[in-house]
Amino acid sequence: MEQAFVAHGFAEPNVETLRDGAGVSLRTLYKYTPSRDEMVIAALEHRHLRYLDHVFADLPDDGSPALGAIIDRIANWMTTEAPHGCLFHAAVAAAPQNMRLVELLKRHKGDVAIKAAVVSGLQNREADIAFLFEGLTQSWPLLGGAAARSAHRLAQHL
């Protein structure tokens, strides 16, 4: 289901497309996600866990290389999973009045910044890290790899 939203956005995919993307029957889809809003939330919750695993699994033990490795992994994610930008931001842009989506976006970005601060030895710099990562992900559709190179240069100042 997540990939259907990546491929088609949040307005276009019909329920059959979402069902096919989830690989379940229509009955099962509605059992666990009884509305389109619930489908979006479930897809983003799943994406959040995949993203955390992709970015933070098996990082270097020593703090300094960890931040560079995280930037590289975010760049890899953007290349393979989000070439058009952050799906969480896209979901909020599609339904800005949906406070559950807004809170999920905040939690996603906050979790990433906190985990990155801990593994890189930069506790109390979570806001700086969040700003750095947001710059990377938001500028990716325009700058591609140049955004990652800039993030690496800026990370040296943290």
Short mmCIF file of all heavy atoms in Angstrom, two decimals, residues 113-158:
data_model
loop_
_atom_site.label_atom_id
_atom_site.label_comp_id
_atom_site.label_asym_id
_atom_site.label_seq_id
_atom_site.Cartn_x
_atom_site.Cartn_y
_atom_site.Cartn_z
N ALA A 113 15.78 12.53 14.31
CA ALA A 113 16.76 13.47 14.87
C ALA A 113 17.30 12.98 16.21
O ALA A 113 18.51 13.07 16.47
CB ALA A 113 16.13 14.85 15.02
N ILE A 114 16.43 12.46 17.06
CA ILE A 114 16.87 11.96 18.37
C ILE A 114 17.81 10.77 18.21
O ILE A 114 18.88 10.73 18.82
CB ILE A 114 15.66 11.61 19.25
CG1 ILE A 114 14.94 12.88 19.67
CG2 ILE A 114 16.08 10.78 20.47
CD1 ILE A 114 13.55 12.64 20.25
N LYS A 115 17.44 9.81 17.38
CA LYS A 115 18.29 8.63 17.17
C LYS A 115 19.64 9.05 16.57
O LYS A 115 20.68 8.53 16.98
CB LYS A 115 17.61 7.61 16.27
CG LYS A 115 16.48 6.84 16.93
CD LYS A 115 15.81 5.88 15.99
CE LYS A 115 16.45 4.54 15.88
NZ LYS A 115 16.55 3.74 17.07
N ALA A 116 19.61 9.97 15.63
CA ALA A 116 20.87 10.41 15.01
C ALA A 116 21.74 11.13 16.02
O ALA A 116 22.97 10.94 16.03
CB ALA A 116 20.57 11.33 13.82
N ALA A 117 21.15 11.93 16.88
CA ALA A 117 21.93 12.63 17.91
C ALA A 117 22.59 11.64 18.85
O ALA A 117 23.76 11.80 19.20
CB ALA A 117 21.03 13.60 18.68
N VAL A 118 21.86 10.62 19.24
CA VAL A 118 22.41 9.64 20.18
C VAL A 118 23.56 8.86 19.54
O VAL A 118 24.63 8.77 20.12
CB VAL A 118 21.29 8.68 20.67
CG1 VAL A 118 21.87 7.49 21.42
CG2 VAL A 118 20.30 9.43 21.56
N VAL A 119 23.34 8.31 18.34
CA VAL A 119 24.38 7.46 17.74
C VAL A 119 25.59 8.26 17.28
O VAL A 119 26.67 7.70 17.16
CB VAL A 119 23.84 6.58 16.59
CG1 VAL A 119 22.75 5.65 17.08
CG2 VAL A 119 23.37 7.42 15.42
N SER A 120 25.42 9.54 17.04
CA SER A 120 26.56 10.35 16.59
C SER A 120 27.21 11.13 17.74
O SER A 120 28.15 11.90 17.50
CB SER A 120 26.13 11.30 15.47
OG SER A 120 25.14 12.18 15.93
N GLY A 121 26.71 10.95 18.96
CA GLY A 121 27.29 11.63 20.11
C GLY A 121 26.99 13.12 20.13
O GLY A 121 27.77 13.91 20.67
N LEU A 122 25.87 13.51 19.55
CA LEU A 122 25.51 14.93 19.47
C LEU A 122 24.22 15.21 20.23
O LEU A 122 23.37 15.98 19.76
CB LEU A 122 25.38 15.36 18.01
CG LEU A 122 26.66 15.35 17.19
CD1 LEU A 122 26.37 15.52 15.71
CD2 LEU A 122 27.61 16.44 17.67
N GLN A 123 24.08 14.61 21.41
CA GLN A 123 22.90 14.88 22.21
C GLN A 123 22.78 16.39 22.43
O GLN A 123 23.78 17.09 22.52
CB GLN A 123 22.98 14.15 23.56
CG GLN A 123 22.83 12.66 23.46
CD GLN A 123 24.14 11.93 23.17
OE1 GLN A 123 25.12 12.49 22.72
NE2 GLN A 123 24.14 10.63 23.40
N ASN A 124 21.57 16.86 22.52
CA ASN A 124 21.23 18.28 22.65
C ASN A 124 21.44 19.07 21.35
O ASN A 124 21.37 20.30 21.36
CB ASN A 124 21.99 18.95 23.80
CG ASN A 124 21.67 18.30 25.12
OD1 ASN A 124 20.50 18.01 25.41
ND2 ASN A 124 22.68 18.05 25.93
N ARG A 125 21.70 18.37 20.25
CA ARG A 125 21.81 19.02 18.93
C ARG A 125 20.74 18.50 17.98
O ARG A 125 20.87 18.60 16.76
CB ARG A 125 23.20 18.78 18.33
CG ARG A 125 24.40 19.25 19.15
CD ARG A 125 24.51 20.75 19.32
NE ARG A 125 24.64 21.52 18.12
CZ ARG A 125 25.80 21.82 17.52
NH1 ARG A 125 26.93 21.41 18.01
NH2 ARG A 125 25.79 22.55 16.43
N GLU A 126 19.66 17.97 18.56
CA GLU A 126 18.61 17.36 17.75
C GLU A 126 18.00 18.35 16.76
O GLU A 126 17.73 17.99 15.61
CB GLU A 126 17.50 16.77 18.64
CG GLU A 126 17.92 15.56 19.43
CD GLU A 126 18.60 15.88 20.76
OE1 GLU A 126 18.84 17.08 21.07
OE2 GLU A 126 18.89 14.93 21.50
N ALA A 127 17.80 19.58 17.17
CA ALA A 127 17.22 20.58 16.25
C ALA A 127 18.16 20.85 15.08
O ALA A 127 17.71 20.98 13.93
CB ALA A 127 16.90 21.87 17.00
N ASP A 128 19.46 20.92 15.36
CA ASP A 128 20.43 21.13 14.28
C ASP A 128 20.42 19.96 13.30
O ASP A 128 20.46 20.14 12.08
CB ASP A 128 21.84 21.29 14.85
CG ASP A 128 22.00 22.52 15.72
OD1 ASP A 128 21.26 23.50 15.51
OD2 ASP A 128 22.86 22.49 16.63
N ILE A 129 20.35 18.75 13.86
CA ILE A 129 20.33 17.55 13.02
C ILE A 129 19.04 17.50 12.21
O ILE A 129 19.07 17.20 11.00
CB ILE A 129 20.51 16.29 13.89
CG1 ILE A 129 21.94 16.26 14.45
CG2 ILE A 129 20.19 15.02 13.11
CD1 ILE A 129 22.18 15.23 15.52
N ALA A 130 17.92 17.81 12.83
CA ALA A 130 16.65 17.82 12.10
C ALA A 130 16.70 18.83 10.95
O ALA A 130 16.25 18.53 9.83
CB ALA A 130 15.49 18.15 13.04
N PHE A 131 17.26 19.99 11.21
CA PHE A 131 17.39 21.02 10.18
C PHE A 131 18.27 20.52 9.03
O PHE A 131 17.93 20.70 7.85
CB PHE A 131 17.97 22.29 10.81
CG PHE A 131 18.01 23.45 9.88
CD1 PHE A 131 16.88 24.21 9.64
CD2 PHE A 131 19.19 23.81 9.25
CE1 PHE A 131 16.91 25.30 8.78
CE2 PHE A 131 19.24 24.88 8.38
CZ PHE A 131 18.10 25.63 8.14
N LEU A 132 19.37 19.89 9.36
CA LEU A 132 20.28 19.35 8.35
C LEU A 132 19.58 18.30 7.49
O LEU A 132 19.64 18.35 6.26
CB LEU A 132 21.51 18.74 9.04
CG LEU A 132 22.55 18.09 8.15
CD1 LEU A 132 23.26 19.14 7.32
CD2 LEU A 132 23.55 17.32 9.00
N PHE A 133 18.89 17.36 8.14
CA PHE A 133 18.21 16.29 7.40
C PHE A 133 17.04 16.82 6.57
O PHE A 133 16.79 16.34 5.48
CB PHE A 133 17.73 15.20 8.35
CG PHE A 133 18.84 14.41 9.01
CD1 PHE A 133 18.54 13.53 10.03
CD2 PHE A 133 20.17 14.54 8.63
CE1 PHE A 133 19.54 12.79 10.65
CE2 PHE A 133 21.17 13.81 9.24
CZ PHE A 133 20.86 12.93 10.26
N GLU A 134 16.31 17.80 7.11
CA GLU A 134 15.21 18.39 6.35
C GLU A 134 15.75 19.09 5.11
O GLU A 134 15.15 19.01 4.03
CB GLU A 134 14.41 19.38 7.20
CG GLU A 134 13.40 18.72 8.09
CD GLU A 134 12.39 17.91 7.31
OE1 GLU A 134 11.56 18.49 6.58
OE2 GLU A 134 12.44 16.68 7.42
N GLY A 135 16.86 19.79 5.27
CA GLY A 135 17.47 20.43 4.10
C GLY A 135 17.84 19.39 3.04
O GLY A 135 17.61 19.61 1.85
N LEU A 136 18.37 18.28 3.49
CA LEU A 136 18.76 17.21 2.57
C LEU A 136 17.53 16.63 1.86
O LEU A 136 17.49 16.55 0.63
CB LEU A 136 19.50 16.11 3.34
CG LEU A 136 19.79 14.81 2.61
CD1 LEU A 136 20.57 15.04 1.32
CD2 LEU A 136 20.54 13.85 3.54
N THR A 137 16.51 16.26 2.63
CA THR A 137 15.36 15.59 2.00
C THR A 137 14.50 16.54 1.18
O THR A 137 13.98 16.14 0.13
CB THR A 137 14.50 14.87 3.06
OG1 THR A 137 14.01 15.81 4.02
CG2 THR A 137 15.28 13.77 3.75
N GLN A 138 14.37 17.77 1.62
CA GLN A 138 13.52 18.71 0.88
C GLN A 138 14.20 19.21 -0.39
O GLN A 138 13.52 19.52 -1.38
CB GLN A 138 13.12 19.89 1.76
CG GLN A 138 12.18 19.50 2.89
CD GLN A 138 10.90 18.87 2.38
OE1 GLN A 138 10.26 19.36 1.46
NE2 GLN A 138 10.52 17.75 2.97
N SER A 139 15.53 19.30 -0.39
CA SER A 139 16.21 19.78 -1.58
C SER A 139 16.57 18.64 -2.54
O SER A 139 16.97 18.89 -3.68
CB SER A 139 17.47 20.56 -1.20
OG SER A 139 18.41 19.72 -0.56
N TRP A 140 16.39 17.39 -2.10
CA TRP A 140 16.77 16.25 -2.93
C TRP A 140 16.13 16.29 -4.33
O TRP A 140 16.84 16.08 -5.33
CB TRP A 140 16.43 14.94 -2.23
CG TRP A 140 16.95 13.78 -3.02
CD1 TRP A 140 16.27 13.05 -3.96
CD2 TRP A 140 18.27 13.27 -2.99
NE1 TRP A 140 17.09 12.11 -4.51
CE2 TRP A 140 18.33 12.21 -3.92
CE3 TRP A 140 19.42 13.60 -2.26
CZ2 TRP A 140 19.49 11.48 -4.14
CZ3 TRP A 140 20.57 12.85 -2.48
CH2 TRP A 140 20.60 11.81 -3.41
N PRO A 141 14.82 16.52 -4.46
CA PRO A 141 14.24 16.51 -5.81
C PRO A 141 14.88 17.54 -6.76
O PRO A 141 14.90 17.33 -7.97
CB PRO A 141 12.76 16.85 -5.58
CG PRO A 141 12.50 16.41 -4.18
CD PRO A 141 13.79 16.71 -3.43
N LEU A 142 15.42 18.62 -6.22
CA LEU A 142 16.04 19.64 -7.06
C LEU A 142 17.53 19.41 -7.25
O LEU A 142 18.07 19.67 -8.33
CB LEU A 142 15.84 21.02 -6.43
CG LEU A 142 14.40 21.49 -6.29
CD1 LEU A 142 14.36 22.78 -5.49
CD2 LEU A 142 13.78 21.67 -7.65
N LEU A 143 18.22 18.95 -6.20
CA LEU A 143 19.68 18.91 -6.23
C LEU A 143 20.28 17.51 -6.28
O LEU A 143 21.46 17.36 -6.58
CB LEU A 143 20.23 19.63 -4.99
CG LEU A 143 19.84 21.08 -4.83
CD1 LEU A 143 20.35 21.63 -3.51
CD2 LEU A 143 20.35 21.91 -6.00
N GLY A 144 19.50 16.50 -5.92
CA GLY A 144 20.03 15.14 -5.93
C GLY A 144 21.26 15.00 -5.05
O GLY A 144 21.31 15.47 -3.92
N GLY A 145 22.28 14.36 -5.60
CA GLY A 145 23.51 14.10 -4.85
C GLY A 145 24.20 15.33 -4.32
O GLY A 145 24.92 15.27 -3.32
N ALA A 146 24.01 16.47 -4.96
CA ALA A 146 24.61 17.71 -4.47
C ALA A 146 24.06 18.05 -3.08
O ALA A 146 24.77 18.62 -2.25
CB ALA A 146 24.38 18.86 -5.44
N ALA A 147 22.81 17.69 -2.82
CA ALA A 147 22.23 17.93 -1.50
C ALA A 147 22.95 17.11 -0.44
O ALA A 147 23.23 17.60 0.66
CB ALA A 147 20.73 17.60 -1.50
N ALA A 148 23.29 15.88 -0.77
CA ALA A 148 24.02 15.02 0.18
C ALA A 148 25.43 15.56 0.41
O ALA A 148 25.91 15.57 1.55
CB ALA A 148 24.07 13.59 -0.33
N ARG A 149 26.08 16.01 -0.63
CA ARG A 149 27.42 16.57 -0.45
C ARG A 149 27.38 17.81 0.43
O ARG A 149 28.24 18.00 1.30
CB ARG A 149 28.05 16.87 -1.82
CG ARG A 149 28.39 15.59 -2.59
CD ARG A 149 29.18 15.85 -3.86
NE ARG A 149 28.42 16.58 -4.88
CZ ARG A 149 27.55 16.01 -5.72
NH1 ARG A 149 27.32 14.71 -5.66
NH2 ARG A 149 26.92 16.75 -6.63
N SER A 150 26.39 18.64 0.24
CA SER A 150 26.23 19.82 1.11
C SER A 150 25.95 19.41 2.55
O SER A 150 26.50 20.00 3.48
CB SER A 150 25.09 20.71 0.60
OG SER A 150 25.43 21.31 -0.62
N ALA A 151 25.11 18.41 2.73
CA ALA A 151 24.81 17.93 4.08
C ALA A 151 26.08 17.42 4.77
O ALA A 151 26.29 17.69 5.95
CB ALA A 151 23.75 16.83 4.04
N HIS A 152 26.93 16.73 4.04
CA HIS A 152 28.20 16.27 4.61
C HIS A 152 29.07 17.45 5.05
O HIS A 152 29.63 17.43 6.13
CB HIS A 152 28.97 15.40 3.60
CG HIS A 152 28.55 13.97 3.58
ND1 HIS A 152 28.80 13.10 4.61
CD2 HIS A 152 27.88 13.27 2.63
CE1 HIS A 152 28.31 11.92 4.30
NE2 HIS A 152 27.74 12.00 3.12
N ARG A 153 29.15 18.46 4.20
CA ARG A 153 29.97 19.62 4.55
C ARG A 153 29.41 20.33 5.79
O ARG A 153 30.15 20.70 6.69
CB ARG A 153 30.04 20.60 3.37
CG ARG A 153 30.98 20.16 2.26
CD ARG A 153 31.24 21.26 1.25
NE ARG A 153 30.04 21.75 0.58
CZ ARG A 153 29.49 21.20 -0.50
NH1 ARG A 153 30.04 20.14 -1.04
NH2 ARG A 153 28.41 21.72 -1.04
N LEU A 154 28.10 20.51 5.84
CA LEU A 154 27.48 21.19 6.98
C LEU A 154 27.57 20.35 8.25
O LEU A 154 27.72 20.91 9.34
CB LEU A 154 26.04 21.52 6.65
CG LEU A 154 25.85 22.56 5.54
CD1 LEU A 154 24.38 22.65 5.14
CD2 LEU A 154 26.39 23.91 5.95
N ALA A 155 27.52 19.05 8.12
CA ALA A 155 27.60 18.16 9.30
C ALA A 155 28.94 18.31 10.00
O ALA A 155 29.02 18.10 11.23
CB ALA A 155 27.36 16.72 8.89
N GLN A 156 29.95 18.66 9.30
CA GLN A 156 31.27 18.84 9.91
C GLN A 156 31.28 19.97 10.94
O GLN A 156 32.15 20.03 11.78
CB GLN A 156 32.33 19.11 8.84
CG GLN A 156 32.55 17.92 7.95
CD GLN A 156 33.50 18.24 6.79
OE1 GLN A 156 33.93 19.38 6.61
NE2 GLN A 156 33.81 17.23 6.02
N HIS A 157 30.29 20.85 10.88
CA HIS A 157 30.23 21.98 11.81
C HIS A 157 29.39 21.69 13.06
O HIS A 157 29.24 22.57 13.91
CB HIS A 157 29.69 23.23 11.10
CG HIS A 157 30.54 23.65 9.94
ND1 HIS A 157 31.73 24.31 10.12
CD2 HIS A 157 30.41 23.47 8.60
CE1 HIS A 157 32.29 24.52 8.93
NE2 HIS A 157 31.50 24.03 8.01
N LEU A 158 28.84 20.49 13.15
CA LEU A 158 28.02 20.17 14.31
C LEU A 158 28.88 19.68 15.45
O LEU A 158 29.80 19.04 15.41
CB LEU A 158 26.95 19.11 13.96
CG LEU A 158 25.87 19.58 13.00
CD1 LEU A 158 24.88 18.45 12.76
CD2 LEU A 158 25.12 20.77 13.59
#
